[in-house]
């Protein structure tokens, strides 16, 4: 069983950068597929980025591709989301997630993940 704690949210101007961190405890995060999701006010939760358990393959939503980078430091049991060139439409609560046995076709599906961090607010505003 893995427990996740999300850190690093805040307020930033358009064009700025933030790095979100997700610290895992209880077991090695390397055993899990890792992902970030977000939920804006009045909208459904949406996929942002995922890191497959093996092979280091990464996947991104089209809306963040080229601006966001997901990474993991297995030695520190951490998952990161580097967010650059932020836009007002990136404003949301961001959640890290981890799941075992997540097949490639399900990496973008929140239902495939059974461990979630508590969420952190990211606000992009001038």
């Amino acid at each position: 069983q893995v427990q996740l704690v999300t850190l690093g949210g805040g307020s930033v101007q358009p064009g700025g950068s933030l790095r979100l961190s997700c610290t895992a405890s209880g077991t090695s995060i390397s055993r899990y597929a890792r992902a970030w999701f977000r939920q804006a006010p009045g909208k459904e939760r949406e996929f942002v980025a995922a890191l497959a358990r093996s092979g280091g393959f990464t996947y991104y939503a089209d809306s963040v591709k080229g601006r966001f980078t997901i990474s993991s430091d297995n030695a520190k049991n951490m998952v990161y989301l580097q967010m650059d060139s932020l836009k007002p439409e990136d404003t949301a609560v961001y959640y890290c997630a981890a799941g075992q046995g997540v097949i490639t076709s399900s990496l973008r599906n929140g239902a495939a993940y059974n461990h979630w961090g508590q969420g952190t607010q990211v606000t992009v505003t001038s």
Side-chain angles (χ1 to χ4, degrees):
Q1 192 84 353
V2 63
Q3 293 81 44
L4 304 174
V5 176
T6 314
L7 302 169
S11 183
V12 63
Q13 292 185 339
S17 298
L18 279 175
R19 188 176 80 157
L20 303 183
S21 301
C22 180
T23 181
S25 61
T27 189
S28 174
I29 195 65
S30 64
R31 298 179 180 180
Y32 296 78
R34 288 136 275 176
W36 290 90
F37 290 79
R38 67 187 182 187
Q39 186 167 20
K43 295 186 177 181
E44 294 186 352
R45 182 181 63 194
E46 65 173 358
F47 167 76
V48 175
L51 176 63
R53 184 186 68 82
S54 60
F57 296 105
T58 56
Y59 305 83
Y60 296 93
D62 289 343
S63 60
V64 307
K65 198 173 297 182
R67 301 188 297 121
F68 290 13
T69 304
I70 185 172
S71 63
S72 184
D73 186 331
N74 293 338
K76 295 182 179 179
N77 237 22
M78 298 283 290
V79 185
Y80 303 101
L81 184 69
Q82 177 66 41
M83 305 184 293
D84 299 317
S85 302
L86 282 159
K87 304 175 181 181
E89 51 264 43
D90 295 318
T91 295
V93 177
Y94 284 71
Y95 300 89
C96 64
Q100 286 187 303
V102 182
I103 60 176
T104 301
S105 60
S106 295
L107 282 169
R108 299 170 184 264
N109 184 353
Y113 298 85
N114 52 355
H115 302 284
W116 292 82
Q118 81 284 11
T120 186
Q121 177 70 45
V122 172
T123 303
V124 185
T125 180
S126 54

